[in-house]
Structures are given as C-alpha cells and as structure tokens.
Amino acid sequence: MKGTTPAATVVGLLVTAALVLTGCSSGSGSPDPNASSGASTSTSTTPPPAEIEVDPAGGSGDVMPDEKITVHVVRGDLDDVTVVGSGGDEIEGTVQGQTWTSGSRMKPSTEYTVTTTAEGPEGGATTDKTTFTTHDPDVTATYGIVYNGHTVGVGMPVSIQFDSAVTDEKYRRAIEQAVSVETSPRTEGSWGWLDNRQLMWRPKDFWTPGTSVTINAPITGYQTGEDKWVAEDASGSMTIGRRQMATVDIATHEMTVSRGGQTIKSFPVSSGKPGKETETRSGMKVVIGKQREMTMDSSTIGIDKGEKGYYKVDTDYNVRVTWTGEFVHSAPWSVGAQGSTNVSHGCVNMAPQNAKWFYKHSLAGDPVNFTGSDREFKPTEGIGVWQFSWAQWQQQSALA
C-alpha cells in the first residue's frame, strides 16, 4: 500500500471541513427565506406598446380633402384621437370598436397632425403622432351667404352665392346635401339652383313676418369644379321684417304699395317705353338693394356713347329690382308723363317726393310685382325665385 504524504493529508482535511461548514451555514436545518431559489435572477420589463395604424400614413402629401382619415389600434385599446390642421381647425370623428373615422372633410393646402393615445395589451399608455398634407388645388373656391345679418322683406330667399360656377351636377348635389336652413317658426321650403353660381332656399309661400332664419354651410373640402376646392365653412342668419308688397301696372302707369295686406300708397309712374330693349319686364321681382345717388349710364347695358338710345344721367332714391338695370327712382324730368305715358329706358320713374317715400320704406327682399308688359322677366335677371311655381322651384334642386 502506498504511503500518503503529509501535504495530501492536510488538503483532504481542509476539503472535508469546508463541506461541513457549507452544510451548516444557516445554523439550522431550515432554508434561508431570503436566499434565491435558483442560479438565475428575474428582471423587470416594459409592457409592449399598442400598435396603431393611421391612414393617410405619416409623411403623406397631396391627400385629397374629401378622403377619410382612419386610426386603427391593431394591438391594444384606443383611448383618444385628435386631428388638428395647421390653422387650428379640428376634424371631428366617431369611434367604432378600436377604429376612429373622420366625420368631416379637410381644408386644401393644409398640414394635419394626428395624435393618438392607446393602451397597450398589457397596460401602459402609448402616444403616436403623425402628420400629412392635403392637396394644393389650382383654385380655392370662395362663396358667401348673401344678406347675412340683415332684416329683409318677405320675398327674400336664403342665398348662397359662389364666386365662380359650380360646374358639375354631382358637385351641386353634394353641396346641396351638406347645407341646411333652420327657421322659427317652422317653414316649408326647398333648395334650388337659380343658376350654377346661386343656390337658394325659397319658402313655399312668402315668409311670415318675424321669422328667424339660420343658415349653415359646412362645405370645407367640397369640390366646385376641376381642381377647385372650398377651404372655409360659413354660417349666417337673417330676420324677416314686415310684409310690404308693391305692384306696378305698366299699362295703367300706376304703382300701389300694401302693408299687411292693406293698400297704403298709390303713385303715378312712367315705365319703359315700347321697344325690344326699353320695355319694362313683367314678373314677380324682389328688391335687391338701394342706392341714394347714382349715375345711370347706358354703356353698362351695351348702348355706348354716340349710339341710338345712349344716355348718362344722375338719379336719386334708386331702388334696384333687376341686375339688368331696372330701378324705381326719382325722375323729375318725366313728371308730366307719369300716370299717362311710358317714356323711360326700362326703369320706373316717380316724382321726387314719391320716390323718396318708396326708397325710405323699402327693404331688400320686398316683392314688387310688374304686370302689363309682353316682355317677361327671366329668373336669372334678378332674384327670380318667385317666377317659378312651387312645383317648378322644387325641380330646380340638384336632388330632384
């Protein structure tokens, strides 16, 4: 048997002692409650973020104003979406499930920022922000609500007037569907296009005095023609005044004025002398506006200086009833013919004091019915909505 060296014996004793000490390190047979149960150690992790999809995608350009914006949370729960244009306008929308969809159109030539907040699948908020830019059109279409804020006569329709033609039926139809009128008291009426620039809402019959009218035209992002887009919403109101109506009998040379159904004034007048270009038009016209003093120049209706029928004269107390140059105005030079003969170039001539009264007591929107002429007033020559029967006017709607 081999002998053992003293050094080997010492090493064996040290190993044995170490094992004994390791086995009794707690001082008892129970495990240390603070000791790790294994060799590996756990570490805290951040919950996975929500996954969000936005259309149009961030960085997109030339987005058409009528495109829908959608925000969809693929993984997680949708909390909030805001869409704000560079001018501060906000796009509203609706939520269904985990998807937000825009409910209004966008302005052209505008940068929009979409900010989305969602909760991840294991908790924790995620905020996503993207931007895109809408199409820059050749033409930004403009329009206005005529007589906004005015007190008007019982014949005045609601009028939305575009500065250029709404060229296609599909554009007129879409715009008509977007606009609205509210009245108090409730009034039956219909939208119709007088021409391709004038969208009007006419009551079935003349307004009830005192009616309040509110107009809303939220047509930002609507198209009016080839690469023509609207960039603003508009709203307005008007109030219907007293019921005043006038009748001009061209054949008997007389004007009568009624208020609330009762005749209050009667005046001798002289209307347009016979002739293709001078005879006063028959039909239901509406006062368009008033101008205290003006110079009437036949060159504005195509009769230039030096030509037969040319005139240029200063007039007072001018009440306009057509766009084609027909007014009721003071004409001291024709007083001798008033009540007996038609001598004007198409206007209604009155004595100065009579014209002053009519001017003072007229409102834009007062109906003026002209009779006794073979020359018919065409609807587009003025505010011609009352030249249509109710059934005919309803057919002027793009939705008819």
Side-chain angles (χ1 to χ4, degrees), residues 41-383:
T41 58
S42 63
T43 58
S44 62
T45 58
T46 302
E51 186 177 338
I52 301 167
E53 293 179 350
V54 179
D55 184 30
S60 297
D62 204 39
V63 176
M64 289 301 165
D66 57 353
E67 287 189 26
K68 290 287 187 182
I69 307 167
T70 59
V71 179
H72 180 60
V73 176
V74 179
R75 184 177 64 185
D77 294 312
L78 180 64
D79 284 339
D80 186 57
V81 177
T82 58
V83 181
V84 181
S86 51
D89 57 302
E90 186 169 345
I91 301 294
E92 301 295 334
T94 57
V95 175
Q96 185 171 6
Q98 300 302 317
T99 301
W100 180 95
T101 305
S102 59
S104 58
R105 302 190 184 200
M106 300 173 282
K107 288 186 177 182
S109 309
T110 302
E111 181 181 78
Y112 282 91
T113 299
V114 182
T115 304
T116 307
T117 303
E119 186 176 328
E122 298 178 13
T126 297
T127 299
D128 179 82
K129 185 175 288 189
T130 62
T131 61
F132 62 86
T133 304
T134 53
H135 175 66
D136 183 17
D138 285 343
V139 177
T140 299
T142 54
Y143 69 101
I145 297 175
V146 190
Y147 301 102
N148 177 28
H150 288 225
T151 296
V152 295
V154 297
M156 180 62 76
V158 170
S159 180
I160 299 175
Q161 185 165 307
F162 292 84
D163 294 328
S164 62
V166 184
T167 58
D168 195 288
E169 184 76 11
K170 65 183 179 183
Y171 302 143
R172 292 194 288 272
R173 188 163 49 247
I175 288 169
E176 190 177 328
Q177 288 175 317
V179 298
S180 63
V181 169
E182 296 179 5
T183 65
S184 179
R186 187 178 179 85
T187 304
E188 182 180 1
S190 173
W191 288 107
W193 291 83
L194 194 62
D195 57 28
N196 59 17
R197 290 179 54 241
Q198 299 181 87
L199 174 59
M200 295 183 171
W201 193 94
R202 197 204 94 174
K204 181 179 179 180
D205 301 305
F206 290 134
W207 293 101
T208 299
T211 300
S212 297
V213 185
T214 302
I215 309 103
N216 288 299
I219 55 175
T220 292
Y222 281 74
Q223 198 167 358
T224 65
E226 186 66 31
D227 209 23
K228 292 166 54 179
W229 295 83
V230 178
E232 297 291 340
D233 291 343
S235 61
S237 64
M238 62 186 192
T239 302
I240 308 305
R242 77 289 175 273
R243 183 185 179 93
Q244 177 172 298
M245 301 180 64
T247 298
V248 176
D249 190 323
I250 298 166
T252 64
H253 322 290
E254 183 181 39
M255 172 194 276
T256 57
V257 181
S258 66
R259 183 84 58 80
Q262 300 295 317
T263 299
I264 58 172
K265 288 286 184 180
S266 180
F267 304 110
V269 298
S270 179
S271 301
K273 59 189 175 183
K276 182 179 179 181
E277 301 298 329
T278 56
E279 188 173 4
T280 303
R281 299 161 176 83
S282 279
M284 182 64 79
K285 304 167 191 176
V286 172
V287 172
I288 295 171
K290 303 189 295 185
Q291 189 169 333
R292 174 64 177 80
E293 298 175 343
M294 65 183 299
T295 299
M296 293 195 175
D297 188 340
S298 66
S299 64
T300 62
I301 57 171
I303 305 174
D304 294 324
K305 188 175 182 178
E307 296 179 346
K308 183 181 179 180
Y310 173 78
Y311 60 88
K312 186 175 182 180
V313 61
D314 295 332
T315 55
D316 292 327
Y317 304 116
N318 302 280
V319 179
R320 181 187 283 273
V321 291
T322 76
W323 294 118
T324 53
E326 288 187 10
F327 291 80
V328 177
H329 65 79
S330 171
W333 57 85
S334 72
V335 168
Q338 292 166 21
S340 61
T341 312
N342 291 325
V343 298
S344 84
H345 292 90
C347 291
V348 174
N349 288 182
M350 301 179 74
Q353 288 303 311
N354 296 339
K356 181 179 181 180
W357 185 95
F358 187 68
Y359 177 92
K360 179 180 178 181
H361 292 91
S362 290
L363 288 176
D366 284 345
V368 185
N369 191 27
F370 287 72
T371 65
S373 165
D374 293 330
R375 188 183 185 190
E376 189 72 11
F377 168 56
K378 298 176 182 177
T380 54
E381 291 177 328
I383 301 176

Side-chain angles (χ1 to χ4, degrees), residues 383-394:
I383 301 176
V385 296
W386 301 103
Q387 285 295 88
F388 299 92
S389 69
W390 175 235
Q392 289 171 334
W393 177 251
Q394 290 175 297

